[in-house]
Amino acid sequence: MTTQDDVLGYFDTLSNWGRWGDDDQRGTLNHITDDIRLAAARAVRHGRSVSCGWEVAVPQEMERSTTTCPCAAEMPGAEHMPAHFHADRRWGFSSERLSLMFHGNSVTHLDSPCHLYWDGTMYNGRPHTLVDPDTGSAWGAVTAAADGIVTRGVLLDVASARGVSWLEPGEGVRPDDLEAAERRQNVRVGPGDAVLLRTGYGRFRHEQGYTWSITQAGWHASCLPWLHQRDVALIAADTPQDVQPSGYGQVLMPVHAVGLVAMGLWLVDNCDLEACATTAAELGQWDFQFAVAPIRFAGTSGSPVNPIATF
């Protein structure tokens, strides 16, 4: 059993601070080299793409105001526009103003390294004071992944490997679960991969609806050395990653804390992996090209995303 002292020790034994230089903000994304991206392209063998993200619901998860103008030439302020603007009176438009909190347990989103602190410190030893209330973070922000994340994705369907529809809240996934899924699917996680963990919660959410809870299935802390040894670039899950309760009184979210702060491991929370799992089983292919394109929000600790798996 992995003890709390073991988990606290991971902040040192699994640390990537300085591994890619003292000024590195990309963390484990450094595992994704040009050769890794080329190999990911070769994983496209059928040309089929599926989304791994949830639709953002209105109004539950997003505040929205929509402006609709059937004739743009008559909109407020049109009198100040040049004459040629008024010549075409047939076009109109609609536009939106959106507001959402993407961190949490429902919206599919990417976490960048500045999202979490441990003892007031972020990835690569930078202080939390680099995060300004007005301008956001000057370190480890989502813009460190501005060029996008394109790599080989590997879906590990632990729910199916255990022979259940979904893992129950509070059930943790351990390294032996990951390796059982690898054997069942005849696939092996390697350097630079994105590992997508299916607990089956997506199926539960489709069938019974979303309900907020602090108790959930997810990665157990004992998976962190496994991910470090395999040189994984990114992890995703159909829950907010960490099994809850974590089992450790002093470490509420060890996968988030050790992953983001010590390892610089990027996370995609709250995926919908049901279409991905169905497609993988149908094609008999559990690896694919995986693409995540965060919005270039300056200084933010993440971004809502729609991850795409292409088989």
Side-chain angles (χ1 to χ4, degrees):
M1 295 295 292
T2 303
T3 69
Q4 181 167 273
D5 287 342
D6 293 331
V7 175
L8 292 171
Y10 291 163
F11 285 98
D12 295 320
T13 59
L14 305 183
S15 174
N16 285 322
W17 291 11
R19 180 174 181 177
W20 296 286
D22 292 338
D23 293 327
D24 174 61
Q25 302 180 55
R26 288 173 51 80
T28 55
L29 297 187
N30 286 289
H31 291 311
I32 305 175
T33 63
D34 291 347
D35 288 342
I36 292 292
R37 279 185 283 269
L38 286 170
R42 291 192 288 272
V44 180
R45 300 192 281 278
H46 297 86
R48 191 181 305 181
S49 288
V50 296
S51 167
C52 297
W54 289 97
E55 182 174 291
V56 181
V58 180
Q60 294 97 319
E61 296 150 345
M62 177 173 63
E63 295 180 9
R64 172 185 182 135
S65 62
T66 299
T67 299
T68 179
C69 182
C71 180
E74 297 177 359
M75 70 180 185
E79 65 272 15
H80 303 299
M81 300 297 288
H84 69 268
F85 179 87
H86 300 270
D88 180 355
R89 299 184 59 83
R90 301 184 69 176
W91 73 280
F93 66 88
S94 63
S95 64
E96 294 80 29
R97 183 180 181 88
L98 309 177
S99 175
L100 76 158
M101 171 70 76
F102 56 83
H103 288 300
N105 291 21
S106 59
V107 176
T108 307
H109 66 273
L110 176 68
D111 287 346
S112 68
C114 71
H115 178 47
L116 227 70
Y117 321 136
W118 187 257
D119 289 335
T121 303
M122 295 185 286
Y123 170 67
N124 230 351
R126 293 314 197 269
H128 72 92
T129 51
L130 289 176
V131 181
D132 181 84
D134 296 320
T135 60
S137 183
W139 183 262
V142 76
T143 45
D147 293 329
I149 303 169
V150 179
T151 191
R152 188 180 79 133
V154 177
L155 176 66
L156 295 182
D157 190 347
V158 170
S160 293
R162 288 193 185 181
V164 297
S165 297
W166 52 73
L167 274 60
E168 295 298 328
E171 286 192 82
V173 172
R174 297 176 182 269
D176 56 351
D177 291 304
L178 306 179
E179 292 175 4
E182 284 184 320
R183 290 190 297 272
R184 176 178 178 270
Q185 299 166 192
N186 193 29
V187 69
R188 180 177 172 84
V189 172
D193 284 348
V195 182
L196 285 63
L197 172 64
R198 180 179 180 267
T199 71
Y201 176 68
R203 177 175 175 179
F204 177 92
R205 185 169 164 178
H206 278 290
E207 293 183 2
Q208 303 194 26
Y210 169 76
T211 54
W212 184 88
S213 174
I214 199 170
T215 303
Q216 67 204 25
W219 301 93
H220 187 269
S222 58
C223 292
L224 289 164
W226 192 93
L227 296 168
H228 188 262
Q229 291 160 8
R230 297 289 186 101
D231 285 338
V232 167
L234 175 148
I235 61 172
D238 53 9
T239 68
Q241 310 288 357
D242 287 86
V243 63
Q244 290 293 328
S246 70
Y248 305 105
Q250 295 181 30
V251 196
L252 176 66
M253 298 185 295
V255 173
H256 269 75
V258 175
L260 289 167
V261 178
M263 298 169 63
L265 177 65
W266 294 61
L267 317 176
V268 182
D269 296 353
N270 310 316
C271 291
D272 179 3
L273 299 178
E274 294 311 291
C276 187
T278 299
T279 303
E282 176 189 340
L283 300 177
Q285 177 184 335
W286 298 89
D287 66 334
F288 37 82
Q289 185 185 66
F290 189 65
V292 181
I295 302 172
R296 296 178 69 172
F297 289 133
T300 63
S301 58
S303 168
V305 291
N306 178 27
I308 302 295
T310 304
F311 291 82

